[in-house]
Amino acid sequence: MSDIVTEAVVALTEKLGSEGFDGSAKFVIEGEGALVIDGSGVHAGDDDTDVTLTASAETFKAILDGEENATTAFMTGKLSVDGDMGTAMKLAGVLA
């Protein structure tokens, strides 16, 4: 597992807090690996999920740091979404 994926797991775990996430989503960080967010929390992995979001490490970090809005990243082609858009929108709310 890359350092970027490890850092992302920690950052997303902090953002989720004790709320958890209703559904499942996978973030694929290009060239680094993948992580999964589901009802049990955040972990590195490549499990099947309701939605898969793919972005570069730079875009993913900007979204986590609040420098880039996930919806804007999607609309400008920096973030691709495959699967359930409703789950993707719920996740965008968690990342905001």
Side-chain angles (χ1 to χ4, degrees):
M1 177 170 34
S2 78
D3 290 343
I4 290 174
V5 171
T6 302
E7 290 171 20
V9 167
V10 171
L12 281 170
T13 299
E14 288 176 8
K15 279 194 177 274
L16 280 177
S18 61
E19 293 177 31
F21 183 70
D22 181 28
S24 62
K26 176 172 36 183
F27 273 106
V28 176
I29 305 171
E30 295 169 340
E32 299 294 336
L35 55 108
V36 173
I37 302 169
D38 58 24
S40 65
V42 184
H43 63 274
D46 196 23
D47 308 345
D48 287 336
T49 57
D50 298 331
V51 65
T52 300
L53 299 96
T54 305
S56 68
E58 180 180 298
T59 297
F60 186 76
K61 183 170 179 3
I63 291 169
L64 281 182
D65 292 345
E67 297 169 4
E68 176 114 38
N69 178 286
T71 304
T72 302
F74 171 72
M75 298 299 268
T76 58
K78 294 180 183 177
L79 175 69
S80 67
V81 177
D82 183 33
D84 183 18
M85 287 300 287
T87 301
M89 294 305 291
K90 283 194 289 187
L91 186 59
V94 171
L95 296 175

